[in-house]
Amino acid sequence: MGKITGFLEFDRKVEEYAPVAERLENYKEFTIPLKETELKQQGARCMDCGIPFCHSGCPLGNLIPDFNDAVYRGKWEKAARILHSTNNFPEFTGRLCPAPCEEACVLGINEDPVSIENIEKNIVEKAFKKGWIIPQPPSKRTNKTIAIIGSGPSGLAAAQQLNRAGHTVTVFERDEKPGGLLRYGIPDFKLEKSIIDRRLKILKKEGIVFKCNVHVGKDIKADQLKKDFDAIILCGGATVTRNLPIKGSELKGVAQAMDFLPQNNRRVAGMNNFDNEIKATGKHVIVIGGGDTGSDCIGTSIRQKAKSVTNFEIMPMGTTDRPKNQPWPFWPMRLRTSSSHKEGVDRVFSISTKEFKGDKDGNLINLITTEVEWISQNGQRPILKEVEGTEKVWPCQLALLALGFSGSEMTIAEQLGLEADQRSNIKASDSDYMTNVSGIFAAGDQRRGQSLIVWAISEGRQVAYHVDQYLMGKSYLPLKGEGDLQ
């Protein structure tokens, strides 16, 4: 694959960023694309490794060496066809995926891995620019109807696959536009919403029907859904947030990240009237939680001209190298520094928030923390222990809780009589994604819990196969890792 000696001749190179001062003035994407010759060199770095462990690292089973080789040889249309054979939306994953494929790259054992994610993004962007991505409506329709609840990446992937199998697909979305967390959870500086709209235009021309501002379970009841559709797929996101149950958590100024981020995305889209406006402008902001959502809050707060931005993480600071107990090709829990972290934030590790303090009007004015340490135990989970004498008061007028999600909204699931698992997700079989009620399926975050965009798309593709098989007796749709080059 690629050039036999490419990994010896070329160093890893990815897109650079526009200067911080420049990119903070707006919410647009700020990466600087590589030249085509540079991209070919990056494709050339893909080794003839024999066993492509990048396949196992990718939940979608993307045919990575194949499209890398096509890029190296300048066969971009072929690369786009290979990429789309396993991934419905590489323009999303090429921007948002944490790239587990790169952590599993054989070259990454002792060198910088192949820049797979960046190559993927450039393949799909060239394909759109050249007009190679066009609607592919089915040649004939079945008489089967399918309702998909949720228009995030899993719902969109399932919709496209089932529509191409000839079924009539209707996607229900409770927000005003399709996209789910892609539209209302991911800041525009990471994913401009025109990228979503560009793909939605294709999906609509293929024949998929979208019904927005429809809260299934409230606006449409379960009985009506079962009457109108032959199969139902629940693809809602993991939207039930985790709270911080400490004194003062009710104060004005303590807010959930997933209230703050969607509101700003709507503001960028031109909406300005909010019942409870959450803005960082002129405030000392503390983001509690060190994951991707916390990072998004940091970049958004800085663009809103916060007075200062601090990030708390209860875990100790990770190493930049792969931890010894997480060997290749597994995903390592190492220190990751995002573009938002580089824009101006104070990162504090091994710290726990003890109390929020407010003024007489109930407004947050500061918070109290203590340092913590993790005590290892043989064969058991580490114990969290506070470090005595380390209490500290921090000025804070906006605390954003980015603590992850504990499940999804279950209104429609309860009406349908669906069982839930121990983590408050919809219980659906690993073998065919069907719930305890025949004809009703679940996929994505609503089935597996909060996860990666690649897992969402993968589950959307897989549930589509099983729904098609349920309706027709057999299916010609591809499963994970099975490319469809037709």
Side-chain angles (χ1 to χ4, degrees):
M1 290 298 132
K3 186 178 182 182
I4 295 299
T5 58
F7 69 98
L8 297 172
E9 299 176 31
F10 307 115
D11 294 330
R12 174 184 168 95
K13 191 171 185 179
V14 296
E15 294 177 340
E16 295 182 352
Y17 299 143
V20 171
E22 178 182 320
R23 70 194 198 223
L24 292 184
E25 292 304 311
N26 56 63
Y27 289 91
K28 295 184 180 298
E29 294 180 20
F30 48 79
T31 54
I32 302 172
L34 297 178
K35 298 176 182 177
E36 185 164 326
T37 53
E38 295 173 317
L39 289 166
K40 288 182 178 181
Q41 290 174 353
Q42 293 308 300
R45 295 186 74 237
C46 189
M47 304 169 66
D48 188 7
C49 58
I51 299 177
F53 281 84
C54 53
H55 284 199
S56 63
C58 176
L60 282 163
N62 281 341
L63 307 174
I64 295 164
D66 302 73
F67 66 65
N68 281 340
D69 181 69
V71 167
Y72 162 61
R73 301 181 188 283
K75 298 180 179 179
W76 289 91
E77 188 171 5
K78 178 182 179 181
R81 188 160 48 91
I82 294 170
L83 179 56
H84 277 91
S85 71
T86 56
N87 185 352
N88 298 69
F89 314 120
E91 67 272 32
F92 303 154
T93 55
R95 288 170 166 83
L96 304 175
C97 182
C101 54
E102 294 185 13
E103 293 288 4
C105 175
V106 173
L107 182 57
I109 295 175
N110 61 346
E111 297 286 348
D112 290 331
V114 176
S115 53
I116 300 167
E117 183 181 21
N118 191 233
I119 292 172
E120 180 179 311
K121 173 185 170 183
N122 278 275
I123 291 172
V124 67
E125 289 304 317
K126 182 176 283 288
F128 269 111
K129 184 177 180 180
K130 294 288 188 178
W132 298 331
I133 300 176
I134 59 175
Q136 299 179 40
S139 57
K140 61 179 181 179
R141 289 283 178 185
T142 68
N143 62 348
K144 304 297 184 181
T145 57
I146 301 164
I148 296 179
I149 319 304
S151 66
S154 61
L156 293 179
Q160 185 169 55
Q161 294 296 98
L162 288 164
N163 181 73
R164 288 181 174 178
H167 307 306
T168 300
V169 180
T170 302
V171 179
F172 293 92
E173 171 56 54
R174 66 181 177 182
D175 287 317
E176 56 268 31
K177 289 185 178 181
L181 289 179
L182 292 173
R183 186 178 297 277
Y184 296 109
I186 305 297
D188 289 67
F189 57 79
K190 287 175 64 176
L191 176 69
E192 291 185 32
K193 305 319 169 198
S194 59
I195 302 298
I196 304 173
D197 295 334
R198 179 179 64 183
R199 179 63 74 170
L200 286 171
K201 188 179 295 185
I202 298 286
L203 300 181
K204 290 175 181 177
K205 287 183 178 179
E206 289 181 342
I208 299 171
V209 176
F210 290 90
K211 294 189 176 182
C212 297
N213 287 314
V214 178
H215 194 157
V216 176
K218 295 182 179 179
D219 299 326
I220 296 180
K221 302 295 184 181
D223 290 343
Q224 189 66 45
L225 276 181
K226 289 192 287 187
K227 178 181 177 182
D228 293 344
F229 296 95
D230 297 306
I232 301 169
I233 311 175
L234 277 68
C235 291
T239 55
V240 179
T241 54
R242 290 192 176 97
N243 292 313
L244 195 57
I246 61 175
K247 187 177 179 180
S249 59
E250 78 288 347
L251 292 168
K252 288 181 285 186
V254 180
Q256 288 287 346
M258 291 313 298
D259 290 329
F260 173 70
L261 292 172
Q263 186 180 106
N264 193 70
N265 283 7
R266 287 183 167 91
R267 190 179 292 113
V268 172
M271 297 176 63
N272 293 297
N273 298 319
F274 304 103
D275 294 335
N276 178 30
E277 187 168 65
I278 309 170
K279 287 196 76 173
T281 308
K283 298 175 182 176
H284 292 293
V285 177
I286 295 180
V287 179
I288 302 175
D292 289 339
T293 302
S295 170
D296 293 343
C297 288
I298 290 166
T300 301
S301 296
I302 293 172
R303 282 164 179 75
Q304 289 185 0
K305 312 299 183 186
K307 187 176 291 186
S308 70
V309 183
T310 306
N311 187 203
F312 289 172
E313 171 57 73
I314 199 169
M315 300 299 293
M317 184 170 71
T319 60
T320 54
D321 296 326
R322 181 184 286 273
K324 292 182 179 179
N325 64 342
Q326 297 164 7
W328 175 90
F330 296 106
W331 175 261
M333 300 301 292
R334 60 170 118 201
L335 178 68
R336 301 181 189 275
T337 301
S338 71
S339 60
S340 292
H341 291 137
K342 297 176 182 178
E343 292 171 353
V345 62
D346 181 18
R347 301 174 78 181
V348 185
F349 297 87
S350 299
I351 191 169
S352 177
T353 306
K354 298 288 291 179
E355 182 181 350
F356 296 113
K357 303 285 284 187
D359 60 18
K360 59 183 177 60
D361 296 319
N363 297 303
L364 177 67
I365 55 174
N366 54 49
L367 54 78
I368 300 172
T369 64
T370 183
E371 295 177 15
V372 295
E373 59 182 343
W374 294 85
I375 310 299
S376 298
Q377 302 181 102
N378 289 331
Q380 299 182 34
R381 303 182 73 175
I383 296 176
L384 180 65
K385 181 182 178 182
E386 294 183 5
V387 179
E388 292 186 11
T390 60
E391 280 199 358
K392 181 177 178 179
V393 179
W394 302 73
C396 178
Q397 295 84 49
L398 179 61
L400 296 171
L401 309 182
L403 305 173
F405 304 87
S406 60
S408 60
E409 183 187 316
M410 301 294 282
T411 304
I412 186 61
E414 292 169 355
Q415 290 181 11
L416 290 167
L418 306 185
E419 295 178 358
D421 64 18
Q422 295 179 343
R423 297 183 300 153
S424 300
N425 300 314
I426 294 173
K427 192 174 181 180
S429 169
D430 289 333
S431 62
D432 62 6
Y433 289 67
M434 191 181 290
T435 66
N436 59 295
V437 178
S438 180
I440 301 177
F441 301 77
D445 286 3
Q446 203 157 21
R447 188 191 83 92
R448 66 180 292 116
Q450 178 188 1
S451 192
L452 306 178
I453 183 173
V454 277
W455 271 115
I457 297 173
S458 175
E459 293 226 340
R461 290 173 64 87
Q462 291 183 68
V463 75
Y465 172 90
H466 293 298
V467 171
D468 188 35
Q469 188 176 57
Y470 166 78
L471 293 174
M472 308 301 292
K474 60 182 178 180
S475 178
Y476 297 103
L477 292 174
L479 269 169
K480 175 186 174 183
E482 298 177 356
D484 179 9
L485 299 180
Q486 300 301 318

